[in-house]
Amino acid sequence: MAQLANPRVVMVGGRAVATDSEGYLLHLADWSEDFACALAREEGLSLTPAHWELIHFLRAHYQEHGVQAQVRVM
């Protein structure tokens, strides 16, 4: 099994959530709105209603189609 380059964790409610070096989840089941907020905080961002609209759209699209939405779909 290949080693991940620079894995890291994001602390979410006292629990360590594993991500890769770019902040992508290693296990999709670990996603939560609290995770999104924690990751945004680490990046110095405050999530607005417009952010949440896009996040919810992207998650719904992935759940329905099994792939990330293309830019033109967004």
Side-chain angles (χ1 to χ4, degrees):
M1 185 175 195
Q3 290 287 351
L4 296 173
N6 303 316
R8 69 179 202 178
V9 298
V10 175
M11 295 305 294
V12 179
R15 184 173 74 90
V17 176
T19 70
D20 68 11
S21 61
E22 295 182 16
Y24 292 99
L25 287 168
L26 296 183
H27 309 284
L28 290 178
D30 286 336
W31 191 88
S32 67
E33 288 190 0
D34 288 338
F35 170 80
C37 290
L39 189 60
R41 267 192 309 277
E42 284 191 3
E43 299 294 329
L45 300 172
S46 177
L47 297 176
T48 66
H51 288 115
W52 285 112
E53 183 177 353
L54 182 58
I55 290 167
H56 291 144
F57 169 81
L58 291 170
R59 290 190 49 75
H61 186 279
Y62 184 83
Q63 289 174 340
E64 184 177 340
H65 302 284
V67 294
Q68 178 179 328
Q70 297 175 3
V71 173
R72 70 174 181 244
V73 173
M74 290 186 279

